Amino acid sequence: MTVIITAAELAGDLTGPTPPTLLDLRWQLSAPDDPAFDARAAYEAGHLPGAVFVDLDRELAAPPGPRGRHPLPDLAEFGAAMRRAGVCADTPVVVYDGGQGWAAARAWWLLRATGHPDVRVLDGGLTAWEGPLSTEVPTPAQGDFEPLPEPTGVLDADGAARLAGSGVLLDARAGERYRGEVEPIDRVGGHIPGALSAPTMENVGPDGRFLPEADLRDRFKALGVSGDAPVGVYCGSGVSAAHEALALAIAGIPAALYVGSWSEWSNDPSRPVAVGPDPR
């Protein structure tokens, strides 16, 4: 099953016999001192016709705390939010955001991890869409999606530490944050010892769309991802890492996600921290 969809393919599917449920995940990472991005206002100013707004911070994550800035949501609340958005177990879902792809990937990953069989991300997001936009806020029929009680493919801090030694653990943040040269958000800079730097923005081209499948396979192979060892990903708070997991899925490589990521790891003074370009 493909995990991304082009704007042209989506336009065709929306006029087909089983149009997908559309979820708008407009979201933007902000540093503590930055003004908050008003995702709902951006959605209301123009979205794909029929798309329902989903709030990443409130519906795809629990409140920030010791488990990180975007820990897993309460699954009962997540399921209720998806049903309000019209998500059904037997209907395809397409998710998109403003173009960066991180928030849409978080929705893709969470829906897939909790059992939805058919979720795709609009490659390039809203900026790739050439059709009309709507300001009408739809009221979808209640969906029937029930998330699995235990998500699959989830790493905790101990699991991430083990994987860094026994498999491949990829750090999806920018290289300067991995090396500990800057840290605009979390308590300390650096990376999990043994993790490899693999900035997620290197998985896309200048237009924000994913590189071809073969190029992604070559990129991950160069990082030591051979398919013979398990793979995990993390980032700052489990959002851009979902984008890396999506890129790995395009390349045909399954990967687990450390949801707490650096925001959880670095908040625990007992956890070791590595700095510089060397994984260790």
Side-chain angles (χ1 to χ4, degrees):
M1 181 187 298
T2 57
V3 293
I4 57 174
I5 185 170
T6 67
E9 290 168 337
L10 176 58
D13 285 1
L14 289 172
T15 61
T18 310
T21 300
L22 291 177
L23 303 181
D24 185 304
L25 272 295
R26 226 74 63 90
W27 179 82
Q28 184 172 299
L29 177 66
S30 298
D33 296 333
D34 289 346
F37 172 67
D38 193 335
R40 179 79 195 197
Y43 163 80
E44 292 177 353
H47 51 266
L48 270 63
V52 177
F53 176 71
V54 174
D55 190 314
L56 185 151
D57 292 318
R58 293 178 174 83
E59 295 174 315
L60 302 186
R67 293 184 299 128
R69 285 192 306 280
H70 292 104
L72 281 174
D74 177 271
L75 292 183
E77 294 179 6
F78 167 68
M82 292 299 97
R83 291 189 293 275
R84 285 196 303 272
V87 174
C88 292
D90 60 354
T91 302
V93 177
V94 172
V95 296
Y96 72 91
D97 57 26
Q100 189 177 42
W102 294 3
R106 171 75 176 218
W108 164 82
W109 175 81
L110 190 50
L111 280 164
R112 294 287 291 140
T114 55
H116 199 289
D118 189 352
V119 188
R120 289 173 289 173
V121 172
L122 174 58
D123 195 16
L126 187 66
T127 58
W129 179 253
E130 297 180 352
L133 298 179
S134 173
T135 57
E136 180 181 351
V137 177
T139 304
Q142 181 82 353
D144 63 10
F145 175 66
E146 293 284 350
L148 297 173
E150 292 291 335
T152 60
V154 178
L155 291 172
D156 60 12
D158 290 338
R162 287 192 297 270
L163 191 59
S166 64
V168 180
L169 183 64
L170 300 179
D171 185 316
R173 298 172 301 158
E176 58 268 24
R177 291 186 69 191
Y178 170 88
R179 295 187 296 271
E181 297 166 358
V182 298
E183 183 44 65
I185 303 175
D186 292 312
R187 187 180 66 86
V188 297
H191 57 270
I192 297 174
L196 303 174
S197 180
T200 197
M201 293 309 296
E202 295 180 13
N203 296 319
V204 300
D207 59 0
R209 302 182 196 187
F210 281 99
L211 299 176
E213 178 182 338
D215 291 353
L216 289 172
R217 281 200 303 268
D218 288 344
R219 182 188 185 222
F220 291 122
K221 183 177 180 180
L223 288 166
V225 179
S226 64
D228 297 329
V231 179
V233 294
Y234 76 95
C235 59
S237 66
V239 178
S240 66
H243 192 266
E244 185 105 296
L246 179 59
L248 285 157
I250 295 169
I253 302 163
L257 178 64
Y258 173 26
V259 181
S261 285
W262 190 248
S263 60
E264 178 187 36
W265 184 279
S266 65
N267 194 48
D268 182 350
S270 71
R271 296 279 178 190
V273 171
V275 295
D278 192 313
R280 295 290 175 185

